[in-house]
Amino acid sequence: MTTLPRHAHYIAGEWTAGSRLAENVNPSDLGDVIAQFPLGDEADASRAVDAARAAFPAWASTTPQQRADILERAGLLLAQRAQDLGTLLAREEGKTLSEAVGEVLRAAQIFKFFAQEALRIAGEAIQSVRPGVEVLVLREPVGVVALVTPWNFPIAIPAWKMAPALACGNTVVLKPAELTPASACALVAILVEAGCPAGVVNLVLGTGGEVGAALVEHPEVDAVSFTGSVAVGRAIAATAARTLKKVQLEMGGKNPMVIMDDADLDTAVAASLNGALFST
């Protein structure tokens, strides 16, 4: 009998197993079970937030160059391992291998871009209307940022959210889609290898209804970034408003297509199929 690999949460610098397990299945081959992963709960989410809060002061006080170096190394590691990571991504998410490898390379570019942006965080010196008074405007990190990401781009979308948050001195808790936990684990492992201190990046696996909701409602979470459905996004916005969290939403849906009488039908059909079925 083959023993399945097991994914784990990453909290406070430690990979942590869970008691409740679910299977990570290849949607293109339902007989291919990739691994088992833990279904986290409110307690796991709370521990991850506590770890991020504890790590925040030290991370926020690091120099821009220190943060840039870590993000640059993460980008280089992603690029070097794009084929292997793309194979894993395609296997658990179902998109073609060429798309999956391209997504990993895109994530590498994102980290390398924000490595340089970490060095460009500027302030303003404003002339005061009062004599002898200086006005200085500085940008400061927000704090603990919860990231809730979907299955369709399981490495690129976490990269889009994590890289700018880390570049600006925030600590993060990532809750990836339960359909694609392996890609998230691989990405977090690369950030750890690149030098992220314990507690700066945390990963909690599980469902949005349990782990995601716990993160959004947690009083020590300062900001939430979410990509997913309109219904869940509306609920997150309402919760964030009650707790005065900063919130960023990217809510999806199928876009309607109108085909006019004078359209090239072959082109229109190809565009419709691409819009409906591209990237699984």
Side-chain angles (χ1 to χ4, degrees):
M1 177 180 292
T2 302
T3 302
L4 288 174
R6 287 189 178 182
H7 304 310
H9 310 301
Y10 186 74
I11 300 172
E14 299 288 341
W15 294 99
T16 305
S19 57
R20 295 183 301 159
L21 297 175
E23 290 186 340
N24 183 13
V25 179
N26 182 343
S28 301
D29 178 3
L30 299 181
D32 177 23
V33 180
I34 299 161
Q36 294 178 319
F37 67 95
L39 292 172
D41 55 22
E42 184 177 353
D44 296 315
S46 185
R47 288 192 300 112
V49 173
D50 290 344
R53 175 59 63 195
F56 173 66
W59 180 247
S61 65
T62 56
T63 67
Q65 187 65 61
Q66 288 172 305
R67 299 195 295 273
D69 289 345
I70 291 172
L71 296 180
E72 179 71 20
R73 284 195 293 270
L76 290 173
L77 289 169
L78 282 165
Q80 290 168 1
R81 300 171 190 175
Q83 192 65 39
D84 289 342
L85 291 172
T87 300
L88 174 64
L89 194 162
R91 187 179 169 208
E92 78 161 351
E93 194 263 357
K95 65 179 55 169
T96 63
L97 180 60
S98 61
E99 287 180 53
V101 173
E103 179 179 335
V104 177
L105 290 172
R106 177 61 174 146
Q109 293 169 342
I110 290 166
F111 276 100
K112 289 169 71 66
F113 175 85
F114 279 103
Q116 299 308 307
E117 287 298 290
L119 304 176
R120 288 158 45 95
I121 299 172
E124 292 181 274
I126 302 171
Q127 186 172 356
S128 175
V129 297
R130 298 169 59 192
V133 175
E134 294 181 353
V135 179
L136 185 63
V137 179
L138 298 175
R139 295 182 180 273
E140 296 182 345
V142 173
V144 176
V145 182
L147 311 175
V148 182
T149 60
W151 57 268
N152 58 334
F153 291 94
I155 284 184
I157 290 180
W160 279 323
K161 296 180 187 298
M162 295 171 77
L166 295 172
C168 294
N170 302 285
T171 55
V172 302
V173 180
L174 171 64
K175 203 301 287 183
E178 58 268 31
L179 294 176
T180 51
S183 294
C185 290
L187 179 58
V188 169
I190 278 180
L191 282 164
V192 173
E193 185 177 344
C196 268
V200 171
V201 173
N202 302 274
L203 170 72
V204 184
L205 305 173
T207 67
E210 194 162 3
V211 177
L215 292 174
V216 173
E217 294 167 3
H218 199 291
E220 290 297 317
V221 169
D222 300 294
V224 178
S225 180
F226 167 78
T227 298
S229 72
V230 174
V232 173
R234 284 174 174 160
I236 288 174
T239 300
R242 291 196 302 272
T243 55
L244 296 180
K245 289 178 173 60
K246 294 182 182 295
V247 63
Q248 179 269 324
L249 304 173
E250 180 194 7
M251 297 179 288
K254 290 294 184 185
N255 296 324
M257 175 175 282
V258 178
I259 301 175
M260 307 302 290
D261 289 342
D262 61 348
D264 181 309
L265 194 57
D266 289 339
T267 300
V269 169
S272 298
L273 289 172
N274 185 64
L277 302 175
F278 182 81
S279 192
T280 63

